[in-house]
Amino acid sequence: MQRSTLDSWEFLPLARWRSMFLIGCSLLGGMGTAPGLPQDARGAESPAEFAERITQTTGVARGFIVHVGCGSGELTGALAFNSGCQVHGLDRDPANVAAARASLRAADRYGPVSIDQLRSDGLPYIDDFVNLVVASDLQGVSVDEIRRVLCPDGVAYIREGETWTLIRKPRPQDIDDWTHYFHDASGNPVAHDQVVAPPERLQWVGSPRWSRHHDRMASMSALVSANGHLYYIMDEGSRVSIQLPSRWQLIARDAFNGTILWKRPIAQWHDQMWPLKSGPTQLARRLVAAGTDVYVTLGIKEPVARLNGTTGETVRTYAGTEATEEILHHDGLLVLLVNPAGSELDEFAPKLNTGDQGRVANEFVWNEVPRHVKGIDAQSGRTLWIHTGKVAPLTLCANGEHVVFHDGERIVSLDRQTGLERWGTDPAPRRKLIPFHFGPRLVLYQDQVLYAGGEGRMRSYSAADGKLMWESEHAPSGYQSPQDLIVTGGLVWVAPTTSGRDTGIFKGRDLLSGEVKVEFPPDIETYWFHHRCYIAKATDRFLIQGDCAILGHLVKTGIPTRL
């Protein structure tokens, strides 16, 4: 694509591209046509009216839009339906290109809408990039070429003679969404995705080029993906100084081309002077995507809201959910961790360069004050049940039968339908202090509950009755982040990665016995670098860890594959 279009774009940082492979971006899919659409009645329509008819017919009103055969550019400009659009017009005739550019500049619309000359039979875009192609005149471009550039769920609206034909590219079945901090409500950070693999190209790059500060709170506070969109909470405050005010935003982008679809301001979030880029980790559990819905607290003390993922508009605000610290969504049920007593973090104030990181590890830790676990019907907003008690940060998980968590002493299972306690385990040890860059790890996997409390042991319990099945060592993993606990390929995985002196040897244990079935070391050496300050993730095929040199390992064999 030429410079005129790219100048007006905003994109995500390149560093975040690593995690996007877990959210499922680019691939090709099948195609279907929908013949028999109405004849072109544009003779009696203005460009704006015709553009409105196009968006009603195609269902696309945001994203990256291409107009092939743009002519004078009147319809091209009208295809910029709102601020969530980037429109690129193409035409073979240089006179049309010049006229369209002049018209758009005169209307002060050039930038989000741009025009370039079509110089070949190929479209100037990477595969799986475009949300909507409108072809008033194919100008030698084949339908197969249009198929190539359309992203999954993308639409082409093509004029052939006097008939307009709609073509929709289906979403493949082998890509997955990443809807929660730990992938889904089960707590297992594993995408069921067959497309994620060593990268061969860059799909898109975006701003800001730099975050606000390396040693203070990360500018990116939460990130999830669903329905071909990325949703994230980011501090867009000045990069000149971290001491300047924050400007937190909830931002939606198209996952395939990076176009910003909408933004919602967040008036108050956590203090950006928090002296660890990886925390407080609980903030990452305040954002969930499910299908076309987004669930979020639009402020540190605000209630949970359900937003339309396409437009960003508020659909519902859930009463009685102020001070929600964590959100889960499973099959229409919201499971919320609500703290009406006030957070341990409310009194945080920085001391600048006087040992703040040490304070985070010792002063600002889980206070073990009882919370409410609430089960709420996501559609109606009705509260179905409330359980009151201690809940350790990041341990809340849910599936079709259970809601489980660690209460500081044991693992507790609640009935998903009623909220009543089904069972509690014998004491399940955990790290004495739980700071907010850490958290015990708990995973609901089929008929098991897997748990690691940070004290060097891992345990497996029966999900039916809470009985201990097996116990093993649990290597220290992660750095200034929750430890790893990954179930994929029929094994539970962890590697010692906290320190640059650790071996990095991954061990995969049998789910039923805890016996080590596969182990392998890293295939490169680094001089001192520790694991980066975020959790490792996986797919059904690969383990993807956050060492300085990112490596993926084939789950079944342990063969390393450089990412």
Side-chain angles (χ1 to χ4, degrees):
M1 192 183 301
Q2 297 190 19
R3 183 77 177 178
S4 57
T5 298
L6 290 178
D7 282 344
S8 63
W9 279 41
E10 295 183 57
F11 296 109
L12 269 171
L14 177 59
R16 289 291 171 180
W17 178 243
R18 295 170 181 162
S19 64
M20 295 204 184
F21 285 95
L22 292 171
I23 310 171
C25 279
S26 62
L27 55 144
L28 291 170
M31 193 76 106
T33 60
L37 293 173
Q39 293 286 316
D40 181 13
R42 190 183 166 187
E45 291 178 309
S46 68
E49 290 170 335
F50 187 46
E52 178 64 24
R53 183 157 68 89
I54 289 174
T55 189
Q56 289 177 355
T57 301
T58 63
V60 179
R62 295 170 189 263
F64 190 76
I65 299 170
V66 173
H67 184 199
V68 180
C70 67
S72 64
E74 292 179 342
L75 177 59
T76 315
L79 290 172
F81 306 112
N82 49 60
S83 61
C85 295
Q86 293 282 333
V87 182
H88 196 204
L90 297 170
D91 202 286
R92 288 194 182 275
D93 189 338
N96 285 344
V97 171
R101 286 176 172 173
S103 174
L104 289 166
R105 288 193 180 104
D108 196 26
R109 303 195 68 182
Y110 203 85
V113 184
S114 60
I115 307 294
D116 279 305
Q117 186 175 357
L118 183 62
R119 300 176 183 272
S120 73
D121 293 340
L123 294 174
Y125 316 110
I126 200 166
D127 298 354
D128 309 302
F129 191 80
V130 181
N131 300 106
L132 173 63
V133 174
V134 177
S136 297
D137 180 351
L138 283 170
Q139 297 197 332
V141 177
S142 69
V143 173
D144 283 343
E145 175 66 359
I146 290 176
R147 288 190 183 100
R148 180 187 68 80
V149 302
L150 283 177
C151 66
D153 290 326
V155 179
Y157 196 51
I158 301 171
R159 182 175 181 172
E160 297 178 288
E162 296 301 318
T163 300
W164 287 83
T165 301
L166 186 146
I167 302 173
R168 186 177 302 276
K169 188 171 185 175
R171 177 186 171 95
Q173 298 300 307
D174 53 359
I175 62 175
D176 193 14
D177 293 334
W178 193 281
T179 61
H180 294 63
Y181 175 53
F182 293 125
H183 176 257
D184 59 20
S186 74
N188 189 26
V190 177
H192 307 301
D193 193 307
Q194 297 302 308
V195 176
V196 172
E200 299 175 349
R201 67 186 192 203
L202 201 62
Q203 185 77 4
W204 50 271
V205 181
S207 66
R209 186 179 297 271
W210 311 108
S211 63
R212 296 200 68 195
H213 200 281
H214 178 76
D215 291 326
R216 294 286 167 171
M217 184 171 161
S219 295
M220 181 78 75
S221 193
L223 171 65
V224 295
S225 175
N227 199 39
H229 297 164
L230 303 175
Y231 305 99
Y232 59 98
I233 294 174
M234 188 169 211
D235 185 0
E236 294 190 324
S238 171
R239 272 96 185 138
V240 171
S241 171
I242 190 62
Q243 297 183 56
L244 293 173
S246 289
R247 188 164 63 90
W248 291 99
Q249 301 265 11
L250 172 61
I251 303 172
R253 287 185 187 260
D254 187 277
F256 298 97
N257 53 56
T259 300
I260 292 179
L261 306 175
W262 51 264
K263 294 185 179 184
R264 290 287 301 268
I266 296 176
Q268 182 184 8
W269 203 239
H270 188 69
D271 192 324
Q272 80 274 13
M273 295 300 292
W274 182 260
L276 284 175
K277 65 190 74 65
S278 57
T281 308
Q282 264 190 313
L283 296 176
R285 297 199 101 190
R286 288 170 170 257
L287 176 64
V288 167
T292 58
D293 292 322
V294 176
Y295 300 91
V296 65
T297 61
L298 288 170
I300 204 71
K301 298 292 185 182
E302 295 299 311
V304 175
R306 175 160 64 102
L307 310 183
N308 181 306
T310 302
T311 66
E313 297 172 349
T314 299
V315 177
R316 178 180 293 278
T317 300
Y318 296 92
T321 63
E322 293 80 3
T324 291
E325 295 176 330
E326 301 184 23
I327 304 171
L328 301 180
H329 178 275
H330 184 274
D331 195 23
L333 178 71
L334 286 175
V335 180
L336 309 180
L337 181 61
V338 182
N339 180 13
S343 172
E344 304 89 328
L345 304 176
D346 289 344
E347 303 303 319
F348 171 78
K351 293 183 179 179
L352 300 179
N353 297 318
T354 56
D356 268 8
Q357 288 201 4
R359 295 174 64 221
V360 166
N362 297 289
E363 292 182 35
F364 297 97
V365 298
W366 178 45
N367 61 13
E368 305 193 39
V369 170
R371 268 80 165 161
H372 298 316
V373 180
K374 293 189 174 185
I376 296 176
D377 181 83
Q379 188 63 34
S380 68
R382 184 168 63 94
T383 298
L384 304 176
W385 50 262
I386 301 175
H387 170 88
T388 301
K390 297 179 183 179
V391 180
L394 305 185
T395 63
L396 189 65
C397 299
N399 64 12
E401 296 184 54
H402 305 272
V403 173
V404 298
F405 55 87
H406 195 281
D407 71 357
E409 297 180 5
R410 59 190 186 132
I411 297 170
V412 176
S413 171
L414 307 180
D415 185 276
R416 184 185 186 277
Q417 303 299 322
T418 65
L420 297 176
E421 184 172 325
R422 300 180 64 165
W423 50 257
T425 66
D426 292 334
R430 46 93 170 180
R431 182 171 166 175
K432 182 178 180 181
L433 296 180
I434 299 179
F436 284 93
H437 58 274
F438 173 77
R441 288 302 310 279
L442 196 152
V443 170
L444 260 173
Y445 185 80
Q446 297 179 0
D447 56 357
Q448 289 178 254
V449 179
L450 294 149
Y451 168 72
E455 89 299 358
R457 305 296 290 173
M458 174 167 52
R459 295 167 176 83
S460 174
Y461 299 90
S462 166
D465 56 16
K467 299 298 183 183
L468 182 66
M469 296 173 62
W470 54 264
E471 180 178 344
S472 73
E473 67 174 358
H474 187 266
S477 54
Y479 176 78
Q480 305 287 30
S481 67
Q483 290 188 337
D484 294 336
L485 187 60
I486 298 170
V487 183
T488 187
L491 303 172
V492 54
W493 296 88
V494 70
T497 56
T498 296
S499 166
R501 297 181 295 274
D502 287 332
T503 66
I505 295 174
F506 260 98
K507 292 182 179 180
R509 295 182 180 273
D510 183 84
L511 281 167
L512 296 180
S513 67
E515 179 185 354
V516 175
K517 294 294 186 181
V518 179
E519 63 179 280
F520 53 85
D523 70 330
I524 62 169
E525 293 184 7
T526 59
Y527 53 104
W528 68 267
F529 268 101
H530 50 69
H531 195 281
R532 308 320 296 157
C533 303
Y534 47 83
I535 62 171
K537 303 176 179 69
T539 73
D540 292 332
R541 299 173 62 209
F542 293 97
L543 299 169
I544 304 176
Q545 63 200 78
D547 294 54
C548 180
I550 302 299
L551 297 176
H553 290 87
L554 290 167
V555 166
K556 291 185 178 180
T557 64
I559 297 173
T561 304
R562 184 74 57 89
L563 292 186

